[in-house]
Amino acid sequence: MATTLGVGVLGTGFGQKVHIPGLQAHHRTEVVAVYHRDLAQAQAVAEAHHIPHACDSVDALLALPEVQAVTVATPPFLHHAMATAALKAGKHVLLEKPTALNVAEALEIQALAQHHQRVVTLDFEFRFVPAWQRLAERLAEGYVGNLRFVKVDWTVPGRADHRRPWNWYAQKALGGGALGAFASHSFDYLTWLFGPIERLSARLSTAIPQRHDPASGTLKPVDADDTCSLTLDLACGAPCQVAISSVTYAGRGHWVEVYGDQGTLVLGSDNLTDYVHGFRLWGSQGGAPLSELAIPERLDFLTTYADGRIAPFVRVVNHWVNDIDQGQTTAPSIVEGVLSQRLMDAAHQAHQTNAWINLS
C-alpha cells in the first residue's frame, strides 16, 4: 500500500496560504511540522492547521523522525541554506521559485540532491494549469506550424501602490524583484513550450525607488526591479519579447501570444487578483478570426479553491510524490530550477553590461 509522506513546511507566509492547504489536500502527504523563526508564530500556525510540531529552528524540524521531506516557502535568500540543510539530512525537497540567489547556489542544491539521491521538485505551477497544458498539447500537434514569434505580457498592480512597505522584496541582494517573482516562471514555461533560449538581452528598472520601512519609520531605497523588458532569441530561430511589471494599475494580466506560419494561439487571463484563475485559450488558423478553444475535461482540476494557486500546487505535490516513489526526477525538477536561475543570472548580466548574453 502507498505510504504517507511526512512533510515539514519551512515558512508561514506563502507556506500557510498555499503549501499547507495543498499538502493537506493531497492523499499521500501529511504536514507534521512547521517552521518560523518566531516560536509563537510557528505555534499559532500549527494550532490553526492542526500540525503536531511547531519549530523555531530548521535543524530541530529536520531532526524530527516524522519528517521525511520538506517544502521551502521562504524568501529566496533563505532557499540555498534551507534546501542544502534538508538534503544533507536526507530529506526530499519541494522548492519555491526562484531557485536561489544565483546559479552557483542552484548548482550546489542540484549536486547535493544527486549525491544524497533525493528528489528536488520546483513549484513551477503553470505547467499544471489546464489551459497551459492545452496550449502545450496544441503546440505539440503543430497547430501554429513553424514558429515565427512569441510575445509575453505580464502586467499586474501587485506593487503599484508606493505605500506598500519596504521589505526583502525591495532588495536585490535578498532575491527581491519582478525578475525573480515572475520571470523565473516565464523562463521555465518558455523553455518548456518552445525549447532552449540561445541568447537574451534585458532592461530592468525600478519605478518606485523608495518605500517606507515600518521598523525604522524611514524611507529606504529600493534596488530590486519592478519592471523587466526581455528580448530572447530561441534556438529554433524565433524571436521572443517579454514585458513584465508588478507596478501597473489596471494592467493587462498575463498573456502569451504564439505566432506561426500556419496559425496563432493566444493564452491569457485578465484576473489581477488571482494569478492562476481565469486562463483561457484562443486559436486561429489560416488567418481566420481568433476563436476560443475548449479545454478538455480530462485536464480540469479535480477540486478548485478560492486561492487559485492551491489547485496547481496540489498537482505539483502529486508530481513530487510520484518522483519520490519512482526514485527519479522529472520536470519540473532541480534541473529546470538551475536553468531558470541561469537565465535570471544572464538577464542581470545583460542589463549590467547593456549587451546580449549568449547561452550556448
Side-chain angles (χ1 to χ4, degrees):
M1 293 181 63
T3 57
T4 299
L5 186 71
V7 182
V9 175
L10 305 180
T12 59
F14 193 75
Q16 184 173 200
K17 293 175 181 176
V18 176
H19 283 213
I20 290 173
L23 290 161
Q24 291 182 331
H26 194 274
H27 65 288
R28 289 282 306 282
T29 53
E30 179 184 1
V31 183
V32 296
V34 63
Y35 159 82
H36 189 276
R37 65 184 182 277
D38 181 284
L39 183 58
Q41 173 70 8
Q43 290 171 333
V45 173
E47 182 178 354
H49 297 278
H50 310 289
I51 299 168
H53 299 282
C55 304
D56 61 355
S57 160
V58 173
D59 289 342
L61 182 144
L62 295 175
L64 292 169
E66 303 97 314
V67 174
Q68 300 161 286
V70 301
T71 68
V72 179
T74 54
F77 65 93
L78 297 171
H79 287 186
H80 173 261
M82 290 181 171
T84 55
L87 291 166
K88 289 175 181 177
K91 316 298 183 184
H92 302 286
V93 177
L94 198 164
L95 184 60
E96 270 305 322
K97 54 78 206 168
T99 311
L101 290 181
N102 52 61
V103 74
E105 289 187 350
L107 286 168
E108 186 174 349
I109 295 170
Q110 182 181 31
L112 281 170
Q114 292 171 342
H115 177 74
H116 293 280
Q117 297 184 332
R118 291 295 178 266
V119 171
V120 178
T121 295
L122 266 291
D123 185 22
F124 287 134
E125 68 261 31
F126 289 111
R127 290 174 178 254
F128 299 90
V129 176
W132 289 77
Q133 293 177 327
R134 188 56 175 160
L135 171 63
E137 290 179 349
R138 287 294 200 175
L139 289 169
E141 293 164 3
Y143 186 95
V144 304
N146 295 314
L147 196 63
R148 288 179 172 175
F149 179 53
V150 178
K151 188 171 189 292
V152 175
D153 287 315
W154 196 349
T155 51
V156 294
R159 297 191 66 80
D161 188 343
H162 72 277
R163 294 169 296 183
R164 284 202 64 171
W166 183 89
N167 58 12
W168 69 266
Y169 193 96
Q171 302 174 68
K172 178 182 175 183
L174 299 185
L179 190 74
F182 298 96
S184 57
H185 278 301
S186 296
F187 285 138
D188 178 67
Y189 64 64
L190 288 170
T191 52
W192 164 48
L193 295 169
F194 307 112
I197 296 168
E198 193 167 75
R199 65 175 191 154
L200 63 78
S201 65
R203 175 64 178 166
L204 311 179
S205 58
T206 305
I208 302 175
Q210 292 181 314
R211 290 187 184 270
H212 181 262
D213 176 17
S216 66
T218 62
L219 286 173
K220 291 283 189 70
V222 176
D223 65 356
D225 59 276
D226 53 38
T227 302
C228 315
S229 298
L230 309 169
T231 302
L232 317 174
D233 282 349
L234 303 176
C236 67
C240 174
Q241 291 183 349
V242 180
I244 295 172
S245 181
S246 62
V247 291
T248 46
Y249 284 122
R252 190 177 180 218
H254 192 178
W255 296 81
V256 181
E257 301 172 14
V258 186
Y259 301 94
D261 63 359
Q262 300 297 318
T264 296
L265 288 167
V266 176
L267 172 78
S269 171
D270 58 5
N271 190 327
L272 299 180
T273 59
D274 188 312
Y275 294 170
V276 172
H277 278 152
F279 279 106
R280 298 159 66 190
L281 181 65
W282 293 263
S284 163
Q285 290 184 306
L290 283 170
S291 60
E292 187 167 359
L293 305 180
I295 309 301
E297 289 185 5
R298 61 182 168 79
L299 297 178
D300 286 348
F301 293 122
L302 294 177
T303 305
T304 56
Y305 304 83
D307 187 327
R309 299 169 297 183
I310 296 175
F313 180 76
V314 173
R315 287 184 170 180
V316 174
V317 171
N318 195 63
H319 176 87
W320 185 41
V321 171
N322 286 341
D323 274 5
I324 292 169
D325 285 346
Q326 299 298 319
Q328 64 181 5
T329 56
T330 58
S333 71
I334 187 58
V335 173
E336 287 69 37
V338 168
L339 177 56
S340 174
Q341 191 69 54
R342 191 182 301 280
L343 291 164
M344 286 177 54
D345 286 13
H348 281 297
Q349 183 184 357
H351 171 74
Q352 290 162 2
T353 60
N354 196 29
W356 283 86
I357 303 299
N358 291 317
L359 296 154
S360 57

